[in-house]
Amino acid sequence: MMRLVLPLVALTSLLLGGCPPPDEGPFGEDFLWGTASAAWQVEGDYDPDPDDAFDVRSNWTVWTERGCVTDGQTNDVGSGFYERYDDDFALASGIGSNAYRLTIDWTRVEPEDDNWNDAEIAHYVDVLEAARAEGLEPMITLWHWVVPTWVQNPTEQDGFDALVMDPGPDSFFVAEFEEFVRYVAPSIAPYADLYSILNEPFSVISGGYLNGECGGGAFPPGRPLPDLDQAKAVTLNLLFAHGYACAALRELDDVDVDGDDVGALCGQAMSTPLMRPLIAGDADDIAGAEQLDWVVNRATVAALVDGNVDIDLDRAFTTTMSDDPDLPIDEGFYPQLAGTLDWLGINYYGPMRVDGLPGSSIGGLPILDVADYNPSLPHSTLGFAIEAEGFGELLDSFAVYGLPIYITENGLGDDNDDDRAMYLVEHLDELAGAAERGADVRGYFHWSLTDNFEWAHGFDQRFGLFRVDFDDPALPRIRQDSVDAYEEVIGTGGVTDASRERWVRERYASDTRP
Ligand code: FCB
């Protein structure tokens, strides 16, 4: 797959009229420099009004109570954002950023089916107003993995799970998610145009249905795994959830906030690792990397751009699994999905290495082994390989779609902020390179402004530009040196030689190679 990329990029840049004139720099004047967050990671289970009739318990609350997060951690208030969003927005605008990605949390708004908590909508409106008052353009996520317990309740292995039920356009999950989006859209429309409707469906598919049951990085619902049928069911439900939510937003949000005559721009923050073969030149590994690149990085785009759904993941849109009586819906073209991506959201943390295992398969799919950790590269505290060049390569491979691109997440788990500044500068340098080669890059959202609850790993993983002292009940924010690096790049509108000299060292502190 990657071998096809460069010629296509060159072609795209020719069609787009080549590189921007040199005096404009790689990023346009309206470029969004932001930071990204997710509601439950920064708000936790904080209940603003414990005496009201509404509960804030979600699938992730239950998951933490089951002890499925490292050391049995629970998430009472996240980083305290629910109460101190004003202070955090002041920090964000203080470093010169002009955008902020956040979630409107379904659980808070509709804690029980059809029982709406309008006080929470009013709260989110306050948050959005506060963001704009600080000069931050909000990007809104509507599903960042957390759902009310009436949608998914992972109390036990066979707990209720609408995500896998009746997969397809007519499922309960799709209808209920659309209803939530329709309910909130009119209130939030005046504040934002950019919707990263769903965040990383693939992480939930793999973390919840393919890779582990409880603990060790697993996500809810914690079923006996792997379950490929359920993984496919979730995939389909999330595709249609995106499509129908996009239609609802386009219908209900006609408030043009950013002056381009459009009220709602549908996007998705996708998990997009660069897939490399474990051994360069090994035919099975190359085939495995190409297959996984399709499954993780391309199949969603094919569905949401062209409307073509590849259920058996064979890179064609007519099924070859004629022996599978359980295919939930027909493979092929779905008009309700076509054209529902106005822009692409790239979440890039690093490359993955794919070990293609010849001859074995589950349900017609080859078995692949994927390693995040690569002993020949430096790595984050979560074990992700660090490789900025991979970012540039990945962006080239997404530029071929000709759609605007936002980096919806990029960041580093780094306990002591040893490597974050260099990581930032190197990745922004690659971003600039991709823009110069023709990628239509419109914004960069660093993950994250502050430390927060890192899902299955809890508070142990620190991604914040501002460190949070979780031992102090006041949850003070402590500015890290890497903030200087981001502030500098934002200030100059790109990476300069001076920034490179200041921040890029010979090697990362985490680089343990000899
Ligand atoms: C991404 C998630 C985000 C955060 C980062 C570190 O996969 O979307 O919420 O946890 O990883």
Side-chain angles (χ1 to χ4, degrees):
M1 179 77 51
M2 301 309 295
R3 283 163 300 147
L4 294 177
V5 162
L6 286 175
L8 285 172
V9 170
L11 180 67
T12 312
S13 89
L14 275 180
L15 293 173
L16 295 175
C19 305
D23 54 343
E24 265 180 34
F27 308 117
E29 241 182 35
D30 299 328
F31 193 79
L32 295 184
W33 295 102
T35 49
S37 67
W40 190 73
Q41 292 184 271
V42 295
E43 297 171 350
D45 294 324
Y46 176 74
D47 190 344
D49 188 357
D51 297 328
D52 69 11
F54 300 107
D55 200 352
V56 297
R57 291 166 54 74
S58 68
N59 59 335
W60 271 89
T61 316
V62 175
W63 192 243
T64 56
E65 287 170 354
R66 248 179 77 178
C68 296
V69 167
T70 307
D71 298 330
Q73 294 176 76
T74 54
N75 184 11
D76 299 339
V77 299
S79 57
F81 177 81
Y82 193 97
E83 289 199 303
R84 51 184 313 163
Y85 58 87
D86 265 326
D87 300 340
D88 282 352
F89 290 154
L91 293 177
S93 73
I95 67 173
S97 67
N98 60 0
Y100 190 82
R101 177 169 171 238
L102 50 79
T103 323
I104 308 288
D105 188 66
W106 186 1
T107 305
R108 291 186 179 278
V109 172
E110 194 184 6
E112 289 169 49
D113 193 2
D114 285 335
N115 194 6
W116 304 92
N117 187 349
D118 291 333
E120 290 284 10
I121 297 190
H123 167 77
Y124 282 121
V125 166
D126 288 347
V127 172
L128 292 168
E129 254 168 22
R132 295 207 76 86
E134 281 290 354
L136 303 171
E137 180 79 40
M139 173 187 280
I140 298 181
T141 307
L142 292 159
W143 175 86
H144 201 125
W145 306 350
V146 173
V147 293
T149 51
W150 58 270
V151 174
Q152 182 190 66
N153 194 345
T155 37
E156 53 210 81
Q157 287 199 329
D158 57 355
F160 182 78
D161 188 9
L163 276 155
V164 297
M165 283 163 42
D166 304 321
D170 302 321
S171 77
F172 174 77
F173 179 82
V174 172
E176 292 295 334
F177 182 67
E178 183 189 345
E179 204 174 308
F180 156 65
V181 172
R182 286 186 172 276
Y183 197 86
V184 294
S187 306
I188 60 181
Y191 303 98
D193 287 353
L194 283 172
Y195 294 96
S196 50
I197 300 173
L198 305 180
N199 180 74
E200 292 192 7
F202 193 76
S203 298
V204 166
I205 294 158
S206 65
Y209 299 88
L210 295 173
N211 284 327
E213 292 169 25
C214 171
F219 285 12
R223 306 229 165 187
L225 299 174
D227 190 326
L228 209 69
D229 288 340
Q230 293 202 340
K232 279 185 193 168
V234 179
T235 306
L236 288 174
N237 274 336
L238 291 172
L239 283 179
F240 286 98
H242 170 99
Y244 285 36
C246 174
L249 290 166
R250 285 177 179 163
E251 178 191 327
L252 296 172
D253 180 351
D254 55 4
V255 188
D256 172 25
V257 180
D258 63 9
D260 62 359
D261 292 331
V262 181
L265 291 162
C266 301
Q268 182 170 121
M270 302 178 294
S271 164
T272 50
L274 179 71
M275 298 298 179
R276 287 199 190 284
L278 181 63
I279 299 170
D282 179 280
D284 291 323
D285 294 355
I286 292 171
E290 286 179 357
Q291 174 65 6
L292 214 58
D293 181 60
W294 171 255
V295 172
V296 179
N297 293 333
R298 315 283 151 193
T300 301
V301 182
L304 302 182
V305 171
D306 298 326
N308 292 323
V309 177
D310 178 16
I311 297 175
D312 57 7
L313 296 168
D314 66 349
R315 294 182 242 177
F317 304 105
T318 47
T319 183
T320 53
M321 295 175 74
S322 51
D323 56 343
D324 185 345
D326 299 325
L327 277 183
I329 59 171
D330 290 338
E331 188 162 299
F333 177 69
Y334 286 85
Q336 63 271 57
L337 299 181
T340 60
L341 274 186
D342 295 313
W343 53 273
L344 302 169
I346 300 290
N347 288 5
Y348 179 82
Y349 288 92
M352 287 185 174
R353 297 179 313 146
V354 183
D355 186 358
L357 305 173
S360 353
S361 71
I362 318 180
L365 288 180
I367 297 181
L368 305 164
D369 196 19
V370 183
D372 294 336
Y373 181 73
N374 181 341
S376 65
L377 289 173
H379 53 274
S380 73
T381 51
L382 255 180
F384 293 165
I386 298 175
E387 204 217 278
E389 300 78 42
F391 188 35
E393 222 176 288
L394 181 92
L395 287 164
D396 289 346
S397 78
F398 274 93
V400 299
Y401 300 109
L403 286 171
I405 292 176
Y406 288 88
I407 310 310
T408 34
E409 291 181 25
N410 169 243
L412 187 70
D414 183 10
D415 275 351
N416 298 313
D417 200 52
D418 293 327
D419 284 337
R420 188 171 290 109
M422 173 156 156
Y423 180 97
L424 244 164
V425 170
E426 285 197 338
H427 283 74
L428 288 168
D429 225 353
E430 287 292 332
L431 185 63
E436 274 157 1
R437 292 188 296 274
D440 182 7
V441 183
R442 306 279 180 97
Y444 172 87
F445 291 77
H446 188 76
W447 184 275
S448 184
L449 183 68
T450 63
D451 292 334
N452 53 59
F453 194 90
E454 177 47 37
W455 305 110
H457 306 280
F459 294 114
D460 298 353
Q461 294 294 330
R462 293 183 177 273
F463 279 86
L465 289 164
F466 289 83
R467 186 182 182 87
V468 176
D469 180 356
F470 292 110
D471 295 329
D472 181 337
L475 298 171
R477 273 62 169 144
I478 304 144
R479 183 182 166 114
Q480 304 293 285
D481 288 348
S482 53
V483 175
D484 294 353
Y486 195 26
E487 195 172 16
E488 190 174 293
V489 174
I490 295 173
T492 50
V495 179
T496 59
D497 283 342
S499 292
R500 265 177 225 116
E501 262 160 48
R502 183 166 172 204
W503 301 107
V504 178
R505 300 182 309 262
E506 204 169 302
R507 58 199 281 154
Y508 283 94
S510 64
D511 191 344
T512 50
R513 293 174 296 175

